[in-house]
Amino acid sequence: TEDIRSSGAKAYVMRRFYELMRRILREHMRAGLMTNVMMNSSTLIFVIGNALALAVGAYVYQAGLVTIGTVYLIFNYTNLISRPIQRISQQLEDLQRASAGMTRIRELFATESTITESGRKSLPPGPLSVEFDGLSFSYDTDEPVLRNISFHLQPGHTMGLLGRTGSGKTTISRLLFRLYEPQEGAIRLGGVDIKDLSIAELRRGVGMVTQNVQLFHASLRDNLTFFDRSISDETILGVIQDLGLQEWYESLPDGLDTEIESGGAGLSSGEAQLLAFTRIFLKDPGLVVLDEASSRLDPATEQLIERAVERLLQNRTGIIIAHRLGTVLRADEIMIIEDGQILEHGDREALASDPGSRFSRLLKTGLEEVLA
């Protein structure tokens, strides 16, 4: 709401809200009309049934065929039918709702992923090499996001990936996870084409920390392990201590059983970010991608993150996507993306000492301002 108000978009949002409310009102009125028709129809049937029961009972009683007690039984039996009929009408309404839900579920099940999974190869242990070979990709065929991207990152090396917003940095990380398929070229991890890997094997070998951390309404243990019961509490507590979260952990009322609210309510962005780093330590991947992972942190928490990143990148390959200068100073290589193409790629120290390189000019002019 702060963003909406400060941007002057209140009128637009409220207008859209009223439009949606009018649609909901019309649908509720239609649903209410159908409900009333069913209820009134059943009520009318009961009235007619009672009238017929009384008329028939009176007729046979006057004819001397039955006693007054039998007439009462006929009327009472007619009333006993009303409750099952009411239940049937209510169940028909519930069935109609369930049918609409099942229709939507069938549509979801019928939606097939464009990512075909047929690979059975495995990733090698330890740090993974990363190779992009002539890769081109676009979300919309008319607007290419990446064009002929080719580079090779040695196992155990860290690459700082720089570029303006919209240059294609985050798209590279999405392609590494096979969230999308490139139109041209190939991606290899540890010398294996990612198309020859199962999705589960690929994503076990690659870990990622982003600005926005998704947390579940579940215990701290389940949020850190993604509900993997094979990870022991001792392992989790060891990682928490290594990350400097011991003081925060001791403040929790139920330790690892403490319930975390959905979306991380009650946690600062720094604490949520540190939990994301804990997840990566527990996963122990061969390749780590940090996508602006420290851009939302206060200085005190950022020091903890810097120490965590240092430890995380030991004996692992790393790709650091960043706008900020301090984030990429630990990188072995620098690659600058501009308009979906590699503008510059090389050893960080060599580029920094070359006055003609783009990276050297960025260091002089200020990385944050130029790449914003």
Side-chain angles (χ1 to χ4, degrees), residues 38-264:
M38 292 181 64
M39 291 179 62
N40 293 334
S41 298
S42 60
T43 302
L44 181 61
I45 291 172
F46 300 150
V47 171
I48 294 173
N50 286 333
L52 286 174
L54 287 173
V56 171
Y59 175 77
V60 295
Y61 175 72
Q62 289 178 352
L65 300 175
V66 296
T67 64
I68 190 67
T70 304
V71 174
Y72 170 75
L73 286 175
I74 294 172
F75 179 76
N76 190 47
Y77 288 158
T78 305
N79 280 332
L80 288 176
I81 298 173
S82 64
R83 185 170 295 178
I85 292 178
Q86 286 178 345
R87 288 182 178 177
I88 290 172
S89 63
Q90 184 178 2
Q91 288 173 354
L92 286 173
E93 184 180 347
D94 294 339
L95 179 62
Q96 190 178 26
R97 292 178 181 172
S99 176
M102 288 187 289
T103 300
R104 291 192 289 269
I105 291 171
R106 280 198 298 267
E107 291 174 355
L108 287 174
F109 276 120
T111 303
E112 295 185 4
S113 173
T114 57
I115 308 297
T116 57
E117 184 177 4
S118 59
R120 291 294 180 267
K121 292 185 178 180
S122 300
L123 289 171
L128 299 172
S129 62
V130 181
E131 182 181 359
F132 276 54
D133 185 7
L135 186 136
S136 296
F137 172 78
S138 63
Y139 297 102
D140 185 341
T141 55
D142 296 331
E143 298 181 7
V145 178
L146 297 174
R147 293 190 291 266
N148 195 29
I149 299 293
S150 296
F151 68 87
H152 186 271
L153 180 62
Q154 295 290 341
H157 283 214
T158 300
M159 182 176 72
L161 185 57
L162 307 177
R164 296 178 185 273
T165 301
S167 60
K169 306 187 304 297
T170 300
T171 299
I172 288 178
S173 66
R174 292 172 178 171
L175 292 172
L176 278 169
F177 280 91
R178 276 197 87 188
L179 300 181
Y180 300 94
E181 292 279 33
Q183 280 78 31
E184 297 178 12
I187 302 173
R188 300 181 186 91
L189 294 180
V192 181
D193 193 315
I194 62 173
K195 291 183 179 180
D196 296 331
L197 301 167
S198 67
I199 298 297
E201 174 69 13
L202 171 63
R203 294 174 185 173
R204 271 195 298 268
V206 184
M208 186 173 184
V209 180
T210 62
Q211 296 180 54
N212 301 313
V213 180
Q214 302 302 321
L215 296 173
F216 304 99
H217 183 73
S219 67
L220 175 63
R221 178 189 295 103
D222 289 336
N223 269 285
L224 293 178
T225 63
F226 285 113
F227 308 92
D228 184 356
R229 300 296 181 183
S230 66
I231 301 176
S232 67
D233 290 357
E234 290 75 16
T235 303
I236 300 173
L237 293 175
V239 172
I240 288 175
Q241 188 167 9
D242 289 343
L243 284 176
L245 289 173
Q246 189 65 30
E247 184 177 348
W248 172 78
Y249 172 76
E250 291 173 353
S251 69
L252 298 177
D254 300 316
L256 292 176
D257 294 319
T258 302
E259 288 288 317
I260 303 295
E261 294 295 327
S262 178

